[in-house]
């Protein structure tokens, strides 16, 4: 059994110089983890919280520790405008986060969308497309691991939640067979103040993938507050570790899929910029042709 936790950073706001705080990218992603690792990973993350938020070391109730969130937006702010000690603490926190991900056999998956200046961005279409793509990657991993799995998405609003999983539900129950047999149910929604590992997903997308994408693909947009050279150390120090944490798979046509996938509508640059070089490394699997369903989505046995 594997769990997959998904969150997002950014929104559909148009990228425009008149709105210098508009997010220049939208990241939808997170990580998968074996069910056997969930408890230990949760306690490891709670320990990290107490280390970087000393006020939590003496809380009376476990619920207080769980509900307190370290937000990726705060990590980014400390990198941009914090003093030396704040920047160092932010980098150490990210390193500790990656330590946890590596220790508990997690795999990263994400869709990163780079916006074009002045053009409307269809968030209502991009979000479900991304969820569908991430579901296929998760299915591929489940087939490779001979496992079953469940996806937990960070809850937004009912109006936004429902359309994002219909594509998964219809693929599972349509006439002609289940195209996602390893995934035992349509994605469910959780609140990050009650699901500790959704907080980890938030930090993955918001304190790592979002700022790295902003710097790697849009560092010439000096008018945008999110395109800051202060984010450069994230890619320089952690790009290789991110790359190795991916799960990527080869479909029957020989094309590599999955992992951290960038759709650069602005200059059509490669996803490899996220990692600081042109190489693609990570956990890879060749999925046998007989295990592949619609659109190249591998099937669990």
């Amino acid at each position: 059994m594997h769990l997959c936790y998904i969150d997002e950073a950014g929104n559909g706001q148009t990228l425009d110089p008149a709105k210098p705080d508009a997010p220049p990218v939208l990241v939808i992603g997170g990580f998968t983890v074996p069910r056997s690792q969930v408890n230990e990973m949760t306690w490891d993350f709670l320990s990290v919280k107490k280390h970087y938020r000393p006020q939590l070391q003496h809380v009376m109730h476990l619920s207080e520790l769980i509900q307190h969130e370290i937000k990726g937006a705060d990590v980014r702010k400390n990198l941009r405008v914090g003093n030396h000690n704040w920047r160092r603490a932010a980098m150490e926190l990210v390193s500790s986060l990656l330590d946890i991900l590596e220790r508990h056999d997690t795999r990263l998956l994400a869709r990163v969308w780079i916006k074009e200046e002045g053009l409307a961005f269809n968030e209502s279409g991009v979000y479900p497309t991304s969820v569908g793509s991430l579901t296929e990657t998760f299915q591929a991993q489940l087939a490779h691991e001979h496992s079953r799995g469940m996806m937990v998405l960070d809850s937004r609003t009912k109006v936004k939640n429902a359309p994002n999983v219909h594509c998964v539900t219809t693929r599972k129950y349509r006439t002609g067979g289940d195209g996602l047999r390893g995934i035992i149910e349509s994605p469910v929604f959780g609140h990050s103040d009650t699901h500790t590992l959704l907080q980890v997903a938030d930090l993955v997308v918001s304190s790592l993938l979002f700022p790295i994408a902003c710097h790697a693909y849009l560092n010439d947009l000096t008018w945008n507050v999110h395109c800051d050279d202060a984010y450069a150390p994230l890619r320089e120090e952690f790009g290789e570790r991110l790359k190795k944490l991916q799960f990527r798979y080869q479909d029957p046509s020989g094309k590599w899929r999955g992992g951290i996938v960038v759709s650069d509508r602005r200059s059509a640059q490669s996803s490899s910029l996220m990692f600081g070089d042109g190489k693609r490394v990570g956990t890879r699997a060749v999925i046998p042709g007989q295990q592949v369903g619609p659109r190249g989505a591998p099937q669990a046995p």
Side-chain angles (χ1 to χ4, degrees):
M1 179 78 179
H2 283 68
L3 281 298
C4 177
Y5 295 90
I6 299 296
D7 202 348
E8 82 282 340
N11 55 41
Q13 192 174 7
T14 302
L15 184 60
D16 192 308
K19 302 172 182 176
D21 60 345
V25 306
L26 173 64
V27 182
I28 301 166
F31 66 94
T32 70
V33 58
R35 171 64 186 90
S36 61
Q37 297 289 324
V38 167
N39 287 352
E40 288 187 16
M41 184 175 181
T42 298
W43 282 108
D44 279 357
F45 181 62
L46 293 178
S47 295
V48 165
K49 273 193 190 185
K50 290 194 291 186
H51 178 77
Y52 290 98
R53 295 292 187 271
Q55 69 270 27
L56 297 175
Q57 293 180 9
H58 305 291
V59 295
M60 297 294 295
H61 304 288
L62 178 61
S63 59
E64 296 179 62
L65 179 58
I66 292 172
Q67 291 173 5
H68 181 92
E69 297 186 55
I70 301 177
K71 303 298 289 186
D74 293 332
V75 176
R76 300 199 308 268
K77 183 178 179 180
N78 286 346
L79 287 171
R80 290 198 316 271
V81 300
N83 59 31
H84 173 74
N85 289 334
W86 288 5
R87 291 194 299 272
R88 183 180 63 186
M91 293 295 288
E92 289 177 351
L93 170 61
V94 172
S95 183
S96 296
L97 173 69
L98 288 169
D99 288 343
I100 292 174
L101 294 170
E102 292 164 347
R103 186 181 308 129
H104 295 290
D105 197 25
T106 69
R107 293 292 175 260
L108 300 184
L109 65 170
R111 288 301 306 270
V112 181
W113 300 86
I114 309 300
K115 299 179 185 178
E116 292 181 89
E117 299 96 314
L119 296 184
F121 188 82
N122 181 18
E123 181 182 358
S124 62
V126 165
Y127 203 106
T129 297
S130 300
V131 171
S133 176
L134 298 177
T135 304
E136 290 185 359
T137 297
F138 188 33
Q139 168 63 44
Q141 183 185 0
L142 295 174
H144 179 62
E145 301 281 355
H146 303 284
S147 183
R148 295 290 186 268
M150 188 81 178
M151 299 181 74
V152 183
L153 277 58
D154 185 52
S155 183
R156 303 161 89 200
T157 65
K158 185 179 186 302
V159 172
K160 291 183 176 181
N161 286 344
N164 295 332
V165 300
H166 282 325
C167 61
V168 179
T169 304
T170 54
R171 287 184 62 186
K172 284 194 64 62
Y173 299 107
R174 65 188 176 188
T175 302
D178 184 356
L180 300 165
R181 286 183 293 177
I183 297 171
I184 62 176
E185 176 58 283
S186 298
V188 298
F189 300 93
H191 298 284
S192 57
D193 59 350
T194 58
H195 290 70
T196 305
L197 295 190
L198 276 177
Q199 297 174 28
V200 176
D202 170 80
L203 286 172
V204 168
V205 299
S206 191
S207 69
L208 265 170
L209 302 184
F210 179 92
I212 286 175
C214 289
H215 183 263
Y217 296 87
L218 301 117
N219 62 351
D220 58 309
L221 296 189
T222 55
W223 51 265
N224 188 279
V225 298
H226 300 286
C227 303
D228 198 303
D229 285 340
Y231 296 151
L234 291 172
R235 183 169 54 150
E236 293 167 0
E237 293 196 26
F238 306 127
E240 186 69 18
R241 296 175 71 180
L242 282 175
K243 183 167 56 175
K244 291 179 178 179
L245 279 167
Q246 297 178 102
F247 175 85
R248 306 196 70 233
Y249 67 98
Q250 194 173 23
D251 67 18
S253 70
K255 183 176 181 180
W256 286 99
R257 299 180 180 273
I260 299 167
V261 180
V262 177
S263 296
D264 181 8
R265 299 180 170 187
R266 187 168 181 257
S267 54
Q269 297 187 84
S270 166
S271 299
S272 63
L273 285 185
M274 291 290 293
F275 316 116
D277 62 28
K279 300 177 182 178
R280 293 193 181 215
V281 178
T283 301
R284 295 180 169 185
V286 178
I287 307 299
Q290 64 269 25
Q291 288 188 293
V292 176
R295 295 180 58 195
Q299 304 298 302

